[in-house]
Amino acid sequence: MAWRSSGSTNAGLVNNLAQNGLITNDRVKDAMLQVDRSHYAPTSPFDDSPQLIGHQATISAPHMHASACESLLPFLNPGSRVLDIGSGSGYLTAVFAKLVGETGTVIGVEHIQPLVALAQANMRKSADGRQMLDSGRVRFIKADGRKGWKDGAPYDAIHVGAAAAEHHVELTEQLKAPGRLFVPVAEGWMQHIYVVDKKSDGSVERKKLYGVQYVPLTDAPVE
Ligand code: SAH
């Protein structure tokens, strides 16, 4: 039913996602209204479907972006630190930056350099995007996201936008206590979203949510 949320404008798409119950929280809705998806998706930006962005990567479907934000929301507060692994187009990185506000920090990690450059260029299409980059509130870094990004740790929230072949322990290690990880994990032919909570006492609880289809989290292509 996800396709029913498609719109002809950014606001139309976001309002349809909310009307169909795919966005339930006003903070998520406001953040998605503030980031123009047409700056990040090259074709049909307001369709509720994934789109190719080159280098075998896709910008995920809007309902998946909404779901990731809603799951991580208790950890996306003013001043929070966020890691967005497999940042691709940079769209979700920008939405996270809206959610954590001017005192927050979001780091996008991507292992393909042209996609690092693409995310930066996409964000530079708007004045507030340029401000987010120039102030250092948002950074895009070329690295292997399976190891997280230790230099910026610990994080309140970590999002992984590609399917992991295993539960990478580095990611949970780089969470604050409390903190939350949202990660698609491949299990045979299936992939499922896992939400991993590190509690205040440092204990870790893992919940398996729904089945998904993501680009795999892989070795970087040979340059
Ligand atoms: N959240 C992004 C999703 C992009 S698709 C968006 O909606 O635009 C997944 C991305 O993960 C791709 O850009 C791919 O290049 C990247 N990726 C895959 N394996 C990776 C790895 N090991 N480290 C960092 N990024 C990786």
Side-chain angles (χ1 to χ4, degrees), residues 152-164:
Y155 303 101
D156 297 276
I158 301 179
H159 170 263
V160 186

Side-chain angles (χ1 to χ4, degrees), residues 121-141:
N122 288 343
M123 198 167 274
R124 287 200 169 277
K125 290 176 187 169
S126 69
D128 63 334
R130 288 193 289 279
Q131 206 277 334
M132 292 195 291
L133 284 172
D134 293 343
S135 64
R137 286 166 51 205
V138 174
R139 289 169 67 193
F140 291 100
I141 288 164

Side-chain angles (χ1 to χ4, degrees), residues 57-60 65 86-89 109-112 115 143-146 161-162 215-218:
T58 56
I59 176 170
S60 302
H65 287 147
S87 46
S89 68
V109 169
E110 169 59 57
H111 70 162
I112 297 179
L115 292 176
D144 182 352
R146 292 172 293 192
V215 169
L217 199 60
T218 59

Side-chain angles (χ1 to χ4, degrees), residues 72-127:
L72 291 169
L73 195 61
F75 299 88
L76 300 173
N77 295 306
S80 295
R81 287 185 76 77
V82 184
L83 185 66
D84 182 23
I85 296 173
S87 46
S89 68
Y91 170 81
L92 192 56
T93 323
V95 175
F96 288 151
K98 290 290 178 195
L99 284 162
V100 302
E102 292 187 3
T103 53
T105 307
V106 188
I107 299 173
V109 169
E110 169 59 57
H111 70 162
I112 297 179
Q113 180 59 42
L115 292 176
V116 171
L118 177 73
Q120 287 166 335
N122 288 343
M123 198 167 274
R124 287 200 169 277
K125 290 176 187 169
S126 69

